[in-house]
Amino acid sequence: FNICIVDCKCESKKNITEQIERFFADYDIGYEIDNMEFGSLVTPEVWRDCDYDLAIFDISDARVREELMEYSLEIRKSCPKTKIIFISSDLLCALEIFDYNPDYFIHKPQIEIRMLSAMDHLFSYEIKNRGNNLVLNTKSAKHIIPERTIVYFEHYQHSTKVICEDKAILCHEKLDNLLKRLDDKLFVRCHCSFIVN
């Protein structure tokens, strides 16, 4: 996932970055966070090339608020997949945002409470349903594994080992339950203890 934080003050960037890290800690997927200052906004064409999934606009500063919101409209036109969150310390600016159609608005004092729910609202379904993925819960994390990277499953001693091209994951799911969740065109149970790709 590619995320861009636009025109945030240093303490806000740190807080937002911490919340994003907390959200992705539950998922075994990569993400990158870029920062963009108001004075160095890129053209919508360059934005499209950056392929951002999420843009977080700090519209607290009344001097640049309208320009940032107009910029978000240009981003929306050139890159419709980018989700947009407006944040502001000025709660009254929430009245100004309706014409700009952000995906979410967060009042800055509530960032620690609302950022996780905003991210969950905007991305949980997409994360879980991106391509053909298998979602596995282990003691340490939630793993989202593209099915094409799974080599085989081996069940032994009440555990199942998932062998992927780049890693191995141990979970406590039965092979029968896993087989129901997998694409039957890709996987076959060739033995009572093995499913292979």
Side-chain angles (χ1 to χ4, degrees), residues 44-62:
E45 292 76 27
V46 172
W47 183 282
R48 187 176 53 245
D49 293 340
C50 293
D51 199 31
Y52 289 117
D53 297 289
L54 174 65
I56 301 169
F57 285 86
D58 185 347
I59 57 171
S60 298
D61 187 345

Side-chain angles (χ1 to χ4, degrees), residues 1 7 27 29 31 42 50 62-63 74 76 79 94 104 108 110-112 125 134 146 153 161 190:
F1 273 82
D7 205 44
Y27 300 100
I29 55 175
Y31 64 94
V42 298
C50 293
R63 296 172 296 175
E74 292 300 315
R76 175 83 72 199
C79 191
Y104 219 88
K108 262 190 187 176
Q110 298 179 324
I111 237 170
E112 290 181 18
Y125 181 80
L134 177 66
F153 298 83
K161 191 181 336 179
C190 60

Side-chain angles (χ1 to χ4, degrees), residues 5 38 42 68 71 81 92 113 117 119 154 157 186 196:
I5 302 171
F38 177 75
V42 298
L68 282 174
Y71 182 68
K81 84 164 201 152
L92 291 177
I113 301 164
S117 61
M119 297 281 292
E154 179 184 1
Q157 299 179 356
L186 296 177
V196 295

Side-chain angles (χ1 to χ4, degrees), residues 7 11 17-18 32 39 46 56 65-66 68 76 81 94 96 98 102 119 121 127 135 151 167 171 173 183 190-191 197:
D7 205 44
E11 68 280 352
T17 302
E18 287 171 359
E32 289 185 25
V46 172
I56 301 169
R65 179 179 302 145
E66 188 174 343
L68 282 174
R76 175 83 72 199
K81 84 164 201 152
E96 299 174 30
F98 290 107
M119 297 281 292
H121 173 75
I127 287 171
V135 179
V151 179
K167 62 185 169 187
C171 68
E173 293 206 42
D183 184 344
C190 60
H191 181 273
N197 188 336

